[in-house]
Amino acid sequence: QAIWAQDLRLCLSDAPRLSHRLRCGPLFQQVCSQTVMGGQVSTKCCVAQSDPNDVSGSADIALLTDEEIGDRAKEPLSEQEIVMVETTWKKAAGLGVETVGVILFKHIFTLAPDAIGLFSFKKEPNVRTYGTPGLKAHGVKVVSTVGAAVDSIRNVPALVPVLQELAMKHVGYGVQPAHFDIVGKALMLTFKDGLGREFTNPVQVAWKKVWGTVSSAMIAVMSVELAKQTKTVEEPKKVDALA
């Protein structure tokens, strides 16, 4: 864990920035040299610590809001957007599906800490370290589903039955339609981490469309099933009231 200094100092080293994050703090200081007026002076400098989950420029990318994307999210994917999705997915998946899954769950539980109660791995010891077998395995499943969506992006009708079956399973887990918004936001943050400056506004819009296709197909089935369950619960109440 990096210990962030309240008084961040300018790093004067030429440490590579790609796939590294500068970590500042008393445990990560070294002496660097700088030439000033022909003489050598020493100054403290941050050490670049290797971080495979960090990509150059990710901090510079701002995610578009739903308002900024607007009705574009409801438009069909263009050929150019399909290519964007396929290309960026290939790069993100290159980090490893397990790594991407862990990053995704970090964002999910940051946005909604209580959501961990919906998952089978919730009782794993030290689950908040994000290194437990159950969490990582589930992350692989989620990311693989996204990968399947990308693979079928040119033939969405073939993907819909798979998503509908997955939706029925998630009803039994206690997942609600509102949870898809959280997962969607976490997914966008994950791509931001993994793609850095390549997660441009057009790419964000394209991925928003993809997630819209996935979530809408699943929500439609879940909403019908949840309505049936609610009706089943309410009918005995009506009978009791008439008795």
Side-chain angles (χ1 to χ4, degrees), residues 5 8 17 29 35 40 51 54 59 71-72 74 95 117 146 161 174 183 187 195 202 211 242:
L8 296 181
R17 302 299 181 91
Q29 292 179 342
T35 301
Q40 295 288 327
D51 187 344
D54 186 39
D71 291 337
R72 288 181 291 172
K74 301 177 183 179
L95 296 172
V146 177
V183 177
L187 184 64
L195 298 173
W211 180 247
L242 295 173

Side-chain angles (χ1 to χ4, degrees), residues 209-221:
K209 291 181 180 182
V210 172
W211 180 247
T213 299
V214 172
S215 60
S216 60
M218 294 183 68
I219 288 173
V221 174

Side-chain angles (χ1 to χ4, degrees), residues 53-55 58 95 103 107 188-196:
N53 295 334
D54 186 39
V55 175
S58 62
L95 296 172
I103 296 172
H107 285 303
M188 297 294 277
L189 288 167
T190 300
F191 282 126
K192 175 178 179 290
D193 290 343
L195 298 173

Side-chain angles (χ1 to χ4, degrees), residues 145-146 148-149 152 156-170 180 210-222:
T145 299
V146 177
S152 302
V156 175
L159 176 65
V160 171
V162 177
L163 295 176
Q164 291 175 334
E165 181 180 355
L166 191 61
M168 291 296 291
K169 290 181 179 179
H170 279 73
F180 283 87
V210 172
W211 180 247
T213 299
V214 172
S215 60
S216 60
M218 294 183 68
I219 288 173
V221 174
M222 291 177 67

Side-chain angles (χ1 to χ4, degrees), residues 53-91:
N53 295 334
D54 186 39
V55 175
S56 179
S58 62
D60 301 330
I61 293 294
L63 292 183
L64 294 173
T65 63
D66 291 340
E67 291 73 20
E68 289 173 328
I69 295 177
D71 291 337
R72 288 181 291 172
K74 301 177 183 179
E75 297 172 358
L77 281 161
S78 67
E79 177 61 26
Q80 183 180 13
E81 288 175 325
I82 290 175
V83 172
M84 285 180 185
V85 169
E86 291 174 335
T87 302
T88 52
W89 173 249
K90 184 177 181 180
K91 179 173 181 178

Side-chain angles (χ1 to χ4, degrees), residues 27-43:
L27 298 184
F28 298 97
Q29 292 179 342
Q30 66 181 17
V31 175
C32 300
S33 296
Q34 177 188 28
T35 301
V36 178
M37 297 297 289
Q40 295 288 327
V41 294
S42 295
T43 183

